[in-house]
PDB file of all heavy atoms in Angstrom:
ATOM      1  N   ASN C   1      -3.811 -30.281  -5.086  1.00 79.00           N
ATOM      2  CA  ASN C   1      -2.990 -29.665  -6.131  1.00 79.00           C
ATOM      3  C   ASN C   1      -1.951 -28.824  -5.433  1.00 79.00           C
ATOM      4  O   ASN C   1      -2.316 -27.822  -4.761  1.00 79.00           O
ATOM      5  CB  ASN C   1      -3.960 -28.808  -7.042  1.00 79.00           C
ATOM      6  CG  ASN C   1      -3.135 -28.154  -8.140  1.00 79.00           C
ATOM      7  OD1 ASN C   1      -1.862 -28.104  -8.175  1.00 79.00           O
ATOM      8  ND2 ASN C   1      -3.913 -27.640  -9.071  1.00 79.00           N
ATOM      9  N   LEU C   2      -0.730 -29.074  -5.590  1.00 81.00           N
ATOM     10  CA  LEU C   2       0.340 -28.367  -4.904  1.00 81.00           C
ATOM     11  C   LEU C   2       0.419 -26.955  -5.367  1.00 81.00           C
ATOM     12  O   LEU C   2       0.995 -26.115  -4.622  1.00 81.00           O
ATOM     13  CB  LEU C   2       1.753 -29.075  -5.093  1.00 81.00           C
ATOM     14  CG  LEU C   2       1.852 -30.501  -4.590  1.00 81.00           C
ATOM     15  CD1 LEU C   2       3.182 -31.100  -4.942  1.00 81.00           C
ATOM     16  CD2 LEU C   2       1.664 -30.408  -3.004  1.00 81.00           C
ATOM     17  N   GLN C   3      -0.066 -26.612  -6.507  1.00 90.00           N
ATOM     18  CA  GLN C   3      -0.044 -25.218  -7.043  1.00 90.00           C
ATOM     19  C   GLN C   3      -1.232 -24.361  -6.478  1.00 90.00           C
ATOM     20  O   GLN C   3      -1.103 -23.128  -6.771  1.00 90.00           O
ATOM     21  CB  GLN C   3       0.013 -25.240  -8.523  1.00 90.00           C
ATOM     22  CG  GLN C   3       1.276 -25.817  -9.163  1.00 90.00           C
ATOM     23  CD  GLN C   3       1.298 -25.614 -10.618  1.00 90.00           C
ATOM     24  OE1 GLN C   3       0.331 -25.813 -11.332  1.00 90.00           O
ATOM     25  NE2 GLN C   3       2.483 -25.127 -11.177  1.00 90.00           N
ATOM     26  N   PHE C   4      -2.137 -24.943  -5.801  1.00 88.00           N
ATOM     27  CA  PHE C   4      -3.315 -24.210  -5.429  1.00 88.00           C
ATOM     28  C   PHE C   4      -2.920 -22.915  -4.582  1.00 88.00           C
ATOM     29  O   PHE C   4      -3.356 -21.810  -4.982  1.00 88.00           O
ATOM     30  CB  PHE C   4      -4.310 -25.000  -4.706  1.00 88.00           C
ATOM     31  CG  PHE C   4      -5.440 -24.286  -4.163  1.00 88.00           C
ATOM     32  CD1 PHE C   4      -6.463 -24.016  -5.026  1.00 88.00           C
ATOM     33  CD2 PHE C   4      -5.499 -23.874  -2.798  1.00 88.00           C
ATOM     34  CE1 PHE C   4      -7.651 -23.309  -4.584  1.00 88.00           C
ATOM     35  CE2 PHE C   4      -6.626 -23.109  -2.415  1.00 88.00           C
ATOM     36  CZ  PHE C   4      -7.680 -22.830  -3.187  1.00 88.00           C
ATOM     37  N   PRO C   5      -2.171 -23.077  -3.538  1.00 88.00           N
ATOM     38  CA  PRO C   5      -1.811 -21.844  -2.749  1.00 88.00           C
ATOM     39  C   PRO C   5      -1.075 -20.749  -3.644  1.00 88.00           C
ATOM     40  O   PRO C   5      -1.374 -19.575  -3.541  1.00 88.00           O
ATOM     41  CB  PRO C   5      -0.939 -22.273  -1.636  1.00 88.00           C
ATOM     42  CG  PRO C   5      -1.151 -23.728  -1.519  1.00 88.00           C
ATOM     43  CD  PRO C   5      -1.510 -24.178  -2.849  1.00 88.00           C
ATOM     44  N   TYR C   6      -0.183 -21.247  -4.531  1.00 92.00           N
ATOM     45  CA  TYR C   6       0.574 -20.322  -5.385  1.00 92.00           C
ATOM     46  C   TYR C   6      -0.384 -19.568  -6.351  1.00 92.00           C
ATOM     47  O   TYR C   6      -0.279 -18.448  -6.449  1.00 92.00           O
ATOM     48  CB  TYR C   6       1.658 -21.133  -6.145  1.00 92.00           C
ATOM     49  CG  TYR C   6       2.360 -20.261  -7.181  1.00 92.00           C
ATOM     50  CD1 TYR C   6       3.356 -19.369  -6.764  1.00 92.00           C
ATOM     51  CD2 TYR C   6       2.025 -20.379  -8.533  1.00 92.00           C
ATOM     52  CE1 TYR C   6       4.045 -18.611  -7.711  1.00 92.00           C
ATOM     53  CE2 TYR C   6       2.696 -19.611  -9.449  1.00 92.00           C
ATOM     54  CZ  TYR C   6       3.703 -18.708  -9.070  1.00 92.00           C
ATOM     55  OH  TYR C   6       4.409 -17.922  -9.961  1.00 92.00           O
ATOM     56  N   LYS C   7      -1.274 -20.410  -6.928  1.00 94.00           N
ATOM     57  CA  LYS C   7      -2.214 -19.790  -7.895  1.00 94.00           C
ATOM     58  C   LYS C   7      -3.117 -18.775  -7.211  1.00 94.00           C
ATOM     59  O   LYS C   7      -3.415 -17.679  -7.689  1.00 94.00           O
ATOM     60  CB  LYS C   7      -3.009 -20.891  -8.598  1.00 94.00           C
ATOM     61  CG  LYS C   7      -2.184 -21.745  -9.562  1.00 94.00           C
ATOM     62  CD  LYS C   7      -3.039 -22.608 -10.541  1.00 94.00           C
ATOM     63  CE  LYS C   7      -4.089 -23.503  -9.833  1.00 94.00           C
ATOM     64  NZ  LYS C   7      -4.598 -24.440 -10.689  1.00 94.00           N
ATOM     65  N   LEU C   8      -3.597 -19.093  -5.954  1.00 94.00           N
ATOM     66  CA  LEU C   8      -4.467 -18.184  -5.260  1.00 94.00           C
ATOM     67  C   LEU C   8      -3.759 -16.885  -5.019  1.00 94.00           C
ATOM     68  O   LEU C   8      -4.353 -15.773  -5.162  1.00 94.00           O
ATOM     69  CB  LEU C   8      -4.904 -18.944  -3.919  1.00 94.00           C
ATOM     70  CG  LEU C   8      -5.861 -18.187  -2.998  1.00 94.00           C
ATOM     71  CD1 LEU C   8      -7.205 -18.017  -3.712  1.00 94.00           C
ATOM     72  CD2 LEU C   8      -6.066 -18.895  -1.707  1.00 94.00           C
ATOM     73  N   LEU C   9      -2.472 -16.988  -4.528  1.00 94.00           N
ATOM     74  CA  LEU C   9      -1.672 -15.762  -4.265  1.00 94.00           C
ATOM     75  C   LEU C   9      -1.513 -14.959  -5.487  1.00 94.00           C
ATOM     76  O   LEU C   9      -1.581 -13.760  -5.508  1.00 94.00           O
ATOM     77  CB  LEU C   9      -0.436 -16.140  -3.527  1.00 94.00           C
ATOM     78  CG  LEU C   9       0.470 -14.961  -3.130  1.00 94.00           C
ATOM     79  CD1 LEU C   9      -0.254 -14.074  -2.175  1.00 94.00           C
ATOM     80  CD2 LEU C   9       1.801 -15.540  -2.504  1.00 94.00           C
ATOM     81  N   GLN C  10      -1.120 -15.686  -6.576  1.00 96.00           N
ATOM     82  CA  GLN C  10      -0.848 -15.005  -7.875  1.00 96.00           C
ATOM     83  C   GLN C  10      -2.115 -14.241  -8.416  1.00 96.00           C
ATOM     84  O   GLN C  10      -2.032 -13.144  -8.864  1.00 96.00           O
ATOM     85  CB  GLN C  10      -0.282 -15.952  -8.891  1.00 96.00           C
ATOM     86  CG  GLN C  10       1.083 -16.373  -8.502  1.00 96.00           C
ATOM     87  CD  GLN C  10       2.146 -15.314  -8.303  1.00 96.00           C
ATOM     88  OE1 GLN C  10       2.224 -14.403  -9.153  1.00 96.00           O
ATOM     89  NE2 GLN C  10       2.764 -15.331  -7.178  1.00 96.00           N
ATOM     90  N   ALA C  11      -3.292 -14.870  -8.259  1.00 97.00           N
ATOM     91  CA  ALA C  11      -4.466 -14.300  -8.723  1.00 97.00           C
ATOM     92  C   ALA C  11      -4.841 -13.095  -7.899  1.00 97.00           C
ATOM     93  O   ALA C  11      -5.251 -12.009  -8.439  1.00 97.00           O
ATOM     94  CB  ALA C  11      -5.637 -15.326  -8.662  1.00 97.00           C
ATOM     95  N   TYR C  12      -4.766 -13.243  -6.596  1.00 97.00           N
ATOM     96  CA  TYR C  12      -5.037 -12.035  -5.675  1.00 97.00           C
ATOM     97  C   TYR C  12      -4.048 -10.885  -6.004  1.00 97.00           C
ATOM     98  O   TYR C  12      -4.565  -9.731  -6.057  1.00 97.00           O
ATOM     99  CB  TYR C  12      -4.915 -12.528  -4.234  1.00 97.00           C
ATOM    100  CG  TYR C  12      -5.137 -11.358  -3.255  1.00 97.00           C
ATOM    101  CD1 TYR C  12      -6.406 -10.815  -3.078  1.00 97.00           C
ATOM    102  CD2 TYR C  12      -4.129 -10.775  -2.508  1.00 97.00           C
ATOM    103  CE1 TYR C  12      -6.647  -9.698  -2.216  1.00 97.00           C
ATOM    104  CE2 TYR C  12      -4.364  -9.710  -1.636  1.00 97.00           C
ATOM    105  CZ  TYR C  12      -5.636  -9.202  -1.517  1.00 97.00           C
ATOM    106  OH  TYR C  12      -5.864  -8.187  -0.713  1.00 97.00           O
ATOM    107  N   THR C  13      -2.816 -11.204  -6.192  1.00 97.00           N
ATOM    108  CA  THR C  13      -1.783 -10.104  -6.451  1.00 97.00           C
ATOM    109  C   THR C  13      -2.173  -9.450  -7.811  1.00 97.00           C
ATOM    110  O   THR C  13      -2.099  -8.301  -7.937  1.00 97.00           O
ATOM    111  CB  THR C  13      -0.387 -10.776  -6.574  1.00 97.00           C
ATOM    112  OG1 THR C  13      -0.048 -11.321  -5.324  1.00 97.00           O
ATOM    113  CG2 THR C  13       0.617  -9.768  -7.022  1.00 97.00           C
ATOM    114  N   ALA C  14      -2.624 -10.227  -8.815  1.00 97.00           N
ATOM    115  CA  ALA C  14      -3.018  -9.654 -10.104  1.00 97.00           C
ATOM    116  C   ALA C  14      -4.244  -8.690  -9.994  1.00 97.00           C
ATOM    117  O   ALA C  14      -4.213  -7.656 -10.595  1.00 97.00           O
ATOM    118  CB  ALA C  14      -3.374 -10.817 -11.085  1.00 97.00           C
ATOM    119  N   TYR C  15      -5.095  -9.041  -9.028  1.00 97.00           N
ATOM    120  CA  TYR C  15      -6.334  -8.154  -8.779  1.00 97.00           C
ATOM    121  C   TYR C  15      -5.834  -6.848  -8.114  1.00 97.00           C
ATOM    122  O   TYR C  15      -6.426  -5.748  -8.406  1.00 97.00           O
ATOM    123  CB  TYR C  15      -7.338  -8.905  -7.919  1.00 97.00           C
ATOM    124  CG  TYR C  15      -8.358  -9.639  -8.753  1.00 97.00           C
ATOM    125  CD1 TYR C  15      -7.977 -10.728  -9.500  1.00 97.00           C
ATOM    126  CD2 TYR C  15      -9.654  -9.275  -8.741  1.00 97.00           C
ATOM    127  CE1 TYR C  15      -8.918 -11.468 -10.197  1.00 97.00           C
ATOM    128  CE2 TYR C  15     -10.577  -9.914  -9.500  1.00 97.00           C
ATOM    129  CZ  TYR C  15     -10.144 -11.006 -10.285  1.00 97.00           C
ATOM    130  OH  TYR C  15     -11.157 -11.773 -10.968  1.00 97.00           O
ATOM    131  N   CYS C  16      -4.809  -6.928  -7.270  1.00 97.00           N
ATOM    132  CA  CYS C  16      -4.393  -5.785  -6.465  1.00 97.00           C
ATOM    133  C   CYS C  16      -3.409  -4.928  -7.316  1.00 97.00           C
ATOM    134  O   CYS C  16      -3.256  -3.793  -7.013  1.00 97.00           O
ATOM    135  CB  CYS C  16      -3.661  -6.217  -5.261  1.00 97.00           C
ATOM    136  SG  CYS C  16      -4.789  -7.110  -4.096  1.00 97.00           S
ATOM    137  N   ARG C  17      -2.724  -5.555  -8.254  1.00 98.00           N
ATOM    138  CA  ARG C  17      -1.688  -4.876  -8.960  1.00 98.00           C
ATOM    139  C   ARG C  17      -2.014  -3.443  -9.505  1.00 98.00           C
ATOM    140  O   ARG C  17      -1.270  -2.532  -9.312  1.00 98.00           O
ATOM    141  CB  ARG C  17      -1.150  -5.713 -10.092  1.00 98.00           C
ATOM    142  CG  ARG C  17       0.168  -5.107 -10.741  1.00 98.00           C
ATOM    143  CD  ARG C  17       0.732  -6.177 -11.707  1.00 98.00           C
ATOM    144  NE  ARG C  17       1.211  -7.269 -11.128  1.00 98.00           N
ATOM    145  CZ  ARG C  17       0.858  -8.502 -11.257  1.00 98.00           C
ATOM    146  NH1 ARG C  17      -0.063  -8.792 -12.189  1.00 98.00           N
ATOM    147  NH2 ARG C  17       1.370  -9.521 -10.586  1.00 98.00           N
ATOM    148  N   PRO C  18      -3.198  -3.238 -10.178  1.00 97.00           N
ATOM    149  CA  PRO C  18      -3.432  -1.969 -10.712  1.00 97.00           C
ATOM    150  C   PRO C  18      -3.502  -0.867  -9.585  1.00 97.00           C
ATOM    151  O   PRO C  18      -2.940   0.244  -9.808  1.00 97.00           O
ATOM    152  CB  PRO C  18      -4.786  -2.057 -11.367  1.00 97.00           C
ATOM    153  CG  PRO C  18      -4.817  -3.541 -11.761  1.00 97.00           C
ATOM    154  CD  PRO C  18      -4.164  -4.211 -10.711  1.00 97.00           C
ATOM    155  N   LEU C  19      -4.091  -1.155  -8.464  1.00 97.00           N
ATOM    156  CA  LEU C  19      -4.136  -0.202  -7.398  1.00 97.00           C
ATOM    157  C   LEU C  19      -2.764   0.065  -6.802  1.00 97.00           C
ATOM    158  O   LEU C  19      -2.377   1.257  -6.528  1.00 97.00           O
ATOM    159  CB  LEU C  19      -5.124  -0.640  -6.317  1.00 97.00           C
ATOM    160  CG  LEU C  19      -5.281   0.187  -5.123  1.00 97.00           C
ATOM    161  CD1 LEU C  19      -5.651   1.692  -5.486  1.00 97.00           C
ATOM    162  CD2 LEU C  19      -6.249  -0.356  -4.178  1.00 97.00           C
ATOM    163  N   CYS C  20      -1.968  -1.023  -6.562  1.00 97.00           N
ATOM    164  CA  CYS C  20      -0.597  -0.926  -6.025  1.00 97.00           C
ATOM    165  C   CYS C  20       0.269   0.018  -6.917  1.00 97.00           C
ATOM    166  O   CYS C  20       0.990   0.829  -6.475  1.00 97.00           O
ATOM    167  CB  CYS C  20      -0.006  -2.228  -5.862  1.00 97.00           C
ATOM    168  SG  CYS C  20      -0.754  -3.205  -4.463  1.00 97.00           S
ATOM    169  N   GLN C  21       0.125  -0.223  -8.327  1.00 97.00           N
ATOM    170  CA  GLN C  21       0.907   0.617  -9.174  1.00 97.00           C
ATOM    171  C   GLN C  21       0.382   1.968  -9.163  1.00 97.00           C
ATOM    172  O   GLN C  21       1.243   2.940  -9.143  1.00 97.00           O
ATOM    173  CB  GLN C  21       0.720   0.032 -10.607  1.00 97.00           C
ATOM    174  CG  GLN C  21       1.537  -1.262 -10.830  1.00 97.00           C
ATOM    175  CD  GLN C  21       1.246  -1.958 -12.187  1.00 97.00           C
ATOM    176  OE1 GLN C  21       0.319  -1.629 -12.852  1.00 97.00           O
ATOM    177  NE2 GLN C  21       2.174  -2.846 -12.498  1.00 97.00           N
ATOM    178  N   GLU C  22      -0.823   2.234  -9.100  1.00 97.00           N
ATOM    179  CA  GLU C  22      -1.467   3.573  -9.069  1.00 97.00           C
ATOM    180  C   GLU C  22      -0.919   4.351  -7.867  1.00 97.00           C
ATOM    181  O   GLU C  22      -0.548   5.549  -7.959  1.00 97.00           O
ATOM    182  CB  GLU C  22      -2.988   3.574  -9.009  1.00 97.00           C
ATOM    183  CG  GLU C  22      -3.659   4.850  -8.982  1.00 97.00           C
ATOM    184  CD  GLU C  22      -5.125   4.811  -8.752  1.00 97.00           C
ATOM    185  OE1 GLU C  22      -5.707   3.820  -9.227  1.00 97.00           O
ATOM    186  OE2 GLU C  22      -5.677   5.664  -8.072  1.00 97.00           O
ATOM    187  N   ILE C  23      -0.874   3.788  -6.702  1.00 95.00           N
ATOM    188  CA  ILE C  23      -0.537   4.452  -5.459  1.00 95.00           C
ATOM    189  C   ILE C  23       1.013   4.245  -5.136  1.00 95.00           C
ATOM    190  O   ILE C  23       1.501   4.741  -4.145  1.00 95.00           O
ATOM    191  CB  ILE C  23      -1.445   3.995  -4.272  1.00 95.00           C
ATOM    192  CG1 ILE C  23      -1.186   2.423  -4.035  1.00 95.00           C
ATOM    193  CG2 ILE C  23      -2.857   4.377  -4.496  1.00 95.00           C
ATOM    194  CD1 ILE C  23      -1.928   1.978  -2.812  1.00 95.00           C
ATOM    195  N   LYS C  24       1.711   3.525  -6.022  1.00 95.00           N
ATOM    196  CA  LYS C  24       3.125   3.333  -5.847  1.00 95.00           C
ATOM    197  C   LYS C  24       3.492   2.591  -4.509  1.00 95.00           C
ATOM    198  O   LYS C  24       4.409   3.126  -3.824  1.00 95.00           O
ATOM    199  CB  LYS C  24       3.889   4.624  -6.118  1.00 95.00           C
ATOM    200  CG  LYS C  24       3.688   5.195  -7.523  1.00 95.00           C
ATOM    201  CD  LYS C  24       4.346   6.560  -7.612  1.00 95.00           C
ATOM    202  CE  LYS C  24       4.344   7.148  -9.095  1.00 95.00           C
ATOM    203  NZ  LYS C  24       3.044   7.080  -9.708  1.00 95.00           N
ATOM    204  N   LEU C  25       2.697   1.663  -4.261  1.00 96.00           N
ATOM    205  CA  LEU C  25       3.053   0.836  -3.081  1.00 96.00           C
ATOM    206  C   LEU C  25       3.329  -0.611  -3.505  1.00 96.00           C
ATOM    207  O   LEU C  25       2.669  -1.092  -4.340  1.00 96.00           O
ATOM    208  CB  LEU C  25       1.865   0.797  -2.077  1.00 96.00           C
ATOM    209  CG  LEU C  25       1.731   1.891  -1.056  1.00 96.00           C
ATOM    210  CD1 LEU C  25       0.404   1.571  -0.187  1.00 96.00           C
ATOM    211  CD2 LEU C  25       2.884   2.051  -0.250  1.00 96.00           C
ATOM    212  N   PRO C  26       4.340  -1.182  -2.833  1.00 97.00           N
ATOM    213  CA  PRO C  26       4.515  -2.667  -3.199  1.00 97.00           C
ATOM    214  C   PRO C  26       3.406  -3.470  -2.479  1.00 97.00           C
ATOM    215  O   PRO C  26       2.726  -3.008  -1.594  1.00 97.00           O
ATOM    216  CB  PRO C  26       5.798  -2.943  -2.412  1.00 97.00           C
ATOM    217  CG  PRO C  26       6.239  -1.792  -1.661  1.00 97.00           C
ATOM    218  CD  PRO C  26       5.270  -0.683  -2.002  1.00 97.00           C
ATOM    219  N   GLN C  27       3.167  -4.654  -3.185  1.00 97.00           N
ATOM    220  CA  GLN C  27       2.046  -5.501  -2.696  1.00 97.00           C
ATOM    221  C   GLN C  27       2.263  -5.819  -1.292  1.00 97.00           C
ATOM    222  O   GLN C  27       1.239  -5.751  -0.489  1.00 97.00           O
ATOM    223  CB  GLN C  27       2.132  -6.828  -3.553  1.00 97.00           C
ATOM    224  CG  GLN C  27       1.062  -7.830  -3.101  1.00 97.00           C
ATOM    225  CD  GLN C  27      -0.327  -7.444  -3.557  1.00 97.00           C
ATOM    226  OE1 GLN C  27      -0.478  -7.026  -4.697  1.00 97.00           O
ATOM    227  NE2 GLN C  27      -1.359  -7.487  -2.706  1.00 97.00           N
ATOM    228  N   THR C  28       3.368  -5.998  -0.757  1.00 97.00           N
ATOM    229  CA  THR C  28       3.562  -6.335   0.743  1.00 97.00           C
ATOM    230  C   THR C  28       3.079  -5.168   1.579  1.00 97.00           C
ATOM    231  O   THR C  28       2.379  -5.385   2.599  1.00 97.00           O
ATOM    232  CB  THR C  28       5.045  -6.674   1.079  1.00 97.00           C
ATOM    233  OG1 THR C  28       5.446  -7.743   0.224  1.00 97.00           O
ATOM    234  CG2 THR C  28       5.168  -7.103   2.481  1.00 97.00           C
ATOM    235  N   ALA C  29       3.385  -3.942   1.220  1.00 98.00           N
ATOM    236  CA  ALA C  29       2.856  -2.795   1.956  1.00 98.00           C
ATOM    237  C   ALA C  29       1.348  -2.716   1.970  1.00 98.00           C
ATOM    238  O   ALA C  29       0.725  -2.490   2.877  1.00 98.00           O
ATOM    239  CB  ALA C  29       3.536  -1.495   1.465  1.00 98.00           C
ATOM    240  N   PHE C  30       0.820  -2.945   0.760  1.00 98.00           N
ATOM    241  CA  PHE C  30      -0.643  -3.017   0.608  1.00 98.00           C
ATOM    242  C   PHE C  30      -1.252  -4.058   1.456  1.00 98.00           C
ATOM    243  O   PHE C  30      -2.229  -3.823   2.223  1.00 98.00           O
ATOM    244  CB  PHE C  30      -1.062  -3.206  -0.850  1.00 98.00           C
ATOM    245  CG  PHE C  30      -2.525  -3.209  -1.083  1.00 98.00           C
ATOM    246  CD1 PHE C  30      -3.329  -2.062  -0.996  1.00 98.00           C
ATOM    247  CD2 PHE C  30      -3.117  -4.457  -1.367  1.00 98.00           C
ATOM    248  CE1 PHE C  30      -4.668  -2.212  -1.231  1.00 98.00           C
ATOM    249  CE2 PHE C  30      -4.485  -4.487  -1.586  1.00 98.00           C
ATOM    250  CZ  PHE C  30      -5.259  -3.445  -1.523  1.00 98.00           C
ATOM    251  N   ASP C  31      -0.656  -5.223   1.509  1.00 97.00           N
ATOM    252  CA  ASP C  31      -1.073  -6.495   2.304  1.00 97.00           C
ATOM    253  C   ASP C  31      -1.108  -6.017   3.774  1.00 97.00           C
ATOM    254  O   ASP C  31      -2.016  -6.362   4.508  1.00 97.00           O
ATOM    255  CB  ASP C  31      -0.318  -7.608   2.036  1.00 97.00           C
ATOM    256  CG  ASP C  31      -0.464  -8.268   0.733  1.00 97.00           C
ATOM    257  OD1 ASP C  31      -1.468  -7.920  -0.037  1.00 97.00           O
ATOM    258  OD2 ASP C  31       0.282  -9.055   0.291  1.00 97.00           O
ATOM    259  N   ILE C  32      -0.059  -5.365   4.266  1.00 98.00           N
ATOM    260  CA  ILE C  32       0.045  -4.980   5.621  1.00 98.00           C
ATOM    261  C   ILE C  32      -1.001  -3.975   6.010  1.00 98.00           C
ATOM    262  O   ILE C  32      -1.682  -4.067   7.042  1.00 98.00           O
ATOM    263  CB  ILE C  32       1.482  -4.433   5.993  1.00 98.00           C
ATOM    264  CG1 ILE C  32       2.519  -5.495   5.902  1.00 98.00           C
ATOM    265  CG2 ILE C  32       1.495  -3.629   7.226  1.00 98.00           C
ATOM    266  CD1 ILE C  32       3.934  -5.020   5.922  1.00 98.00           C
ATOM    267  N   LEU C  33      -1.241  -3.017   5.070  1.00 98.00           N
ATOM    268  CA  LEU C  33      -2.317  -1.977   5.330  1.00 98.00           C
ATOM    269  C   LEU C  33      -3.607  -2.573   5.378  1.00 98.00           C
ATOM    270  O   LEU C  33      -4.409  -2.341   6.325  1.00 98.00           O
ATOM    271  CB  LEU C  33      -2.232  -0.895   4.220  1.00 98.00           C
ATOM    272  CG  LEU C  33      -3.215   0.188   4.359  1.00 98.00           C
ATOM    273  CD1 LEU C  33      -2.993   1.057   5.584  1.00 98.00           C
ATOM    274  CD2 LEU C  33      -3.334   0.983   3.096  1.00 98.00           C
ATOM    275  N   MET C  34      -3.939  -3.558   4.520  1.00 98.00           N
ATOM    276  CA  MET C  34      -5.255  -4.186   4.469  1.00 98.00           C
ATOM    277  C   MET C  34      -5.369  -5.132   5.714  1.00 98.00           C
ATOM    278  O   MET C  34      -6.430  -5.260   6.338  1.00 98.00           O
ATOM    279  CB  MET C  34      -5.441  -4.981   3.222  1.00 98.00           C
ATOM    280  CG  MET C  34      -5.598  -4.044   2.015  1.00 98.00           C
ATOM    281  SD  MET C  34      -6.744  -2.725   2.181  1.00 98.00           S
ATOM    282  CE  MET C  34      -8.281  -3.645   2.367  1.00 98.00           C
ATOM    283  N   PHE C  35      -4.227  -5.787   6.131  1.00 97.00           N
ATOM    284  CA  PHE C  35      -4.290  -6.608   7.314  1.00 97.00           C
ATOM    285  C   PHE C  35      -4.710  -5.736   8.565  1.00 97.00           C
ATOM    286  O   PHE C  35      -5.574  -6.122   9.390  1.00 97.00           O
ATOM    287  CB  PHE C  35      -3.020  -7.273   7.569  1.00 97.00           C
ATOM    288  CG  PHE C  35      -2.885  -8.086   8.865  1.00 97.00           C
ATOM    289  CD1 PHE C  35      -3.416  -9.400   8.891  1.00 97.00           C
ATOM    290  CD2 PHE C  35      -2.427  -7.515   9.992  1.00 97.00           C
ATOM    291  CE1 PHE C  35      -3.377 -10.058  10.061  1.00 97.00           C
ATOM    292  CE2 PHE C  35      -2.397  -8.280  11.285  1.00 97.00           C
ATOM    293  CZ  PHE C  35      -2.885  -9.581  11.229  1.00 97.00           C
ATOM    294  N   LEU C  36      -4.044  -4.626   8.670  1.00 98.00           N
ATOM    295  CA  LEU C  36      -4.303  -3.747   9.879  1.00 98.00           C
ATOM    296  C   LEU C  36      -5.772  -3.239   9.827  1.00 98.00           C
ATOM    297  O   LEU C  36      -6.429  -3.088  10.772  1.00 98.00           O
ATOM    298  CB  LEU C  36      -3.311  -2.543   9.915  1.00 98.00           C
ATOM    299  CG  LEU C  36      -1.876  -2.936  10.201  1.00 98.00           C
ATOM    300  CD1 LEU C  36      -0.911  -1.731   9.898  1.00 98.00           C
ATOM    301  CD2 LEU C  36      -1.806  -3.459  11.608  1.00 98.00           C
ATOM    302  N   ALA C  37      -6.241  -2.826   8.525  1.00 98.00           N
ATOM    303  CA  ALA C  37      -7.570  -2.326   8.485  1.00 98.00           C
ATOM    304  C   ALA C  37      -8.633  -3.423   8.776  1.00 98.00           C
ATOM    305  O   ALA C  37      -9.640  -3.116   9.392  1.00 98.00           O
ATOM    306  CB  ALA C  37      -7.786  -1.814   7.013  1.00 98.00           C
ATOM    307  N   ASN C  38      -8.424  -4.535   8.376  1.00 97.00           N
ATOM    308  CA  ASN C  38      -9.336  -5.723   8.417  1.00 97.00           C
ATOM    309  C   ASN C  38      -9.309  -6.446   9.767  1.00 97.00           C
ATOM    310  O   ASN C  38     -10.193  -7.194  10.129  1.00 97.00           O
ATOM    311  CB  ASN C  38      -9.192  -6.700   7.364  1.00 97.00           C
ATOM    312  CG  ASN C  38      -9.630  -6.048   5.943  1.00 97.00           C
ATOM    313  OD1 ASN C  38     -10.439  -5.133   5.902  1.00 97.00           O
ATOM    314  ND2 ASN C  38      -9.025  -6.553   4.930  1.00 97.00           N
ATOM    315  N   ASN C  39      -8.195  -6.139  10.499  1.00 96.00           N
ATOM    316  CA  ASN C  39      -7.922  -6.943  11.710  1.00 96.00           C
ATOM    317  C   ASN C  39      -7.453  -5.900  12.815  1.00 96.00           C
ATOM    318  O   ASN C  39      -6.307  -6.058  13.349  1.00 96.00           O
ATOM    319  CB  ASN C  39      -6.951  -8.058  11.582  1.00 96.00           C
ATOM    320  CG  ASN C  39      -7.310  -8.980  10.542  1.00 96.00           C
ATOM    321  OD1 ASN C  39      -8.202  -9.830  10.686  1.00 96.00           O
ATOM    322  ND2 ASN C  39      -6.808  -8.874   9.320  1.00 96.00           N
TER     323      ASN C  39
END
C-alpha cells in the first residue's frame, strides 16, 4: 500500500500534536529531541 508510510507518519504526528502544541515546538524539533534522547 503506497500510502502506508504516509499514514504511519500522519498517525504518529497526530499523537504528538497535543504535546508539541503545549510546549510550542514544531514536530520536527520534537522529532530531533526524541532522536537525540533515544539514540
